[in-house]
Amino acid sequence: AAGVIQSPRHLIKEKRETATLKCYPIPRHDTVYWYQQGPGQDPQFLISFYEKMQSDKGSIPDRFSAQQFSDYHSELNMSSLELGDSALYFCASRVTRRNTEAFFGQGTRLTVV
Amino acid sequence: AQTVTQSQPEMSVQEAETVTLSCTYDTSENNYYLFWYKQPPSRQMILVIRQEAYKQQNATENRFSVNFQKAAKSFSLKISDSQLGDTAMYFCAFMKPDYYGGSQGNLIFGKGTKLSVKP
């Protein structure tokens, strides 16, 4: 079965650079979520999209933005990177109306040096 | 706002034995969903089990079962016949139902319990 695909799997950036993370949800899933998991931390909700429209925002810094495209893939754009942005970034997708569980991608490990 | 508390940062169990991980939560909602996710060293987030709050029957998935006490807002995970592959971080998570793509549907996680299964 198809799973949530995230790319790249690993990314190393320098401070003040920009990073773009991509997420391809499971086909026919209408909602995408982004989470940030710092070292030794629990995942924190950043932002979500339902049918290509932003549906909710969590603790997402102003330096970050995200969007969902017509093919339902989503991108998380991160600018002016800081050392504290080093984390594992998960994308998850689900079918909203069925209230099913969210399926997670394997994550993108971002290291800011 | 909802909160999820896992009071056991670390636990260990001998292979083939049974272990119970605790989770409590706070919410004013009457209808919601609870999950246990497993995060092995690969860091993949894997769903272990889910429970709908409106169902009184405790969910089970093979060696995994829950003890859901709605009034007490408690949701513990029991792992029977523990295996080495169960070694992982376990996260308890809360979700409000989201029928129309609104401001619910995102997961609120506890801090996690690191489980080590020893041979």
Side-chain angles (χ1 to χ4, degrees):
Chain A
V4 177
I5 306 297
Q6 290 187 246
S7 67
R9 293 290 309 281
H10 302 275
L11 190 60
I12 300 175
K13 290 287 186 178
E14 294 188 354
K15 281 171 49 179
R16 293 180 289 278
E17 284 193 319
T18 297
T20 297
L21 280 54
K22 296 185 178 183
C23 169
Y24 297 85
I26 293 172
R28 292 179 292 282
H29 280 199
D30 55 21
T31 306
V32 167
Y33 303 86
W34 285 96
Y35 292 86
Q36 177 192 57
Q37 186 179 25
Q41 302 295 315
D42 55 298
Q44 294 292 316
F45 169 67
L46 292 177
I47 195 166
S48 62
F49 293 87
Y50 169 70
E51 288 290 349
K52 294 164 280 185
M53 297 289 290
Q54 181 183 307
S55 55
D56 198 13
K57 286 180 72 172
S59 50
I60 184 169
D62 292 340
R63 299 178 289 106
F64 294 8
S65 65
Q67 57 183 325
Q68 188 175 30
F69 295 85
S70 58
D71 64 351
Y72 287 87
H73 94 273
S74 178
E75 295 184 2
L76 178 65
N77 298 291
M78 311 159 69
S79 62
S80 302
L81 287 169
E82 302 174 356
L83 296 178
D85 296 329
S86 295
L88 187 59
Y89 290 83
F90 284 109
C91 173
S93 72
R94 59 188 280 263
V95 180
T96 291
R97 285 193 170 85
R98 295 183 190 173
N99 268 303
T100 57
E101 58 271 17
F103 292 87
F104 283 77
Q106 291 187 295
T108 294
R109 182 178 298 280
L110 172 66
T111 303
V112 182
V113 297
Chain B
Q2 289 75 31
T3 59
V4 178
T5 301
Q6 293 179 248
S7 58
Q8 306 151 315
E10 292 191 41
M11 293 191 72
S12 65
V13 64
Q14 291 294 130
E15 196 175 6
E17 293 188 344
T18 295
V19 64
T20 299
L21 280 57
S22 301
C23 173
T24 58
Y25 58 94
D26 189 24
T27 183
S28 58
E29 302 288 331
N30 188 50
N31 190 25
Y32 48 86
Y33 295 79
L34 295 164
F35 304 89
W36 280 98
Y37 279 88
K38 167 185 176 181
Q39 189 175 42
S42 67
R43 306 298 300 275
Q44 173 78 45
M45 291 293 283
I46 302 166
L47 177 69
V48 175
I49 201 165
R50 63 175 270 163
Q51 174 81 42
E52 291 88 343
Y54 61 86
K55 289 187 177 179
Q56 293 185 340
Q57 186 173 7
N58 289 322
T60 62
E61 286 288 341
N62 301 314
R63 297 183 295 106
F64 299 89
S65 61
V66 299
N67 183 5
F68 173 51
Q69 301 290 327
K70 190 174 183 180
K73 297 180 181 175
S74 171
F75 182 59
S76 60
L77 174 69
K78 185 171 82 171
I79 306 174
S80 304
D81 186 25
S82 297
Q83 301 176 359
L84 297 178
D86 295 333
T87 292
M89 182 71 83
Y90 286 81
F91 289 100
C92 178
F94 174 100
M95 185 187 85
K96 285 165 56 175
D98 177 6
Y99 295 98
Y100 303 105
S103 61
Q104 293 86 26
N106 56 287
L107 294 164
I108 300 167
F109 290 89
K111 296 297 182 185
T113 296
K114 184 177 181 181
L115 177 67
S116 299
V117 180
K118 301 184 183 304

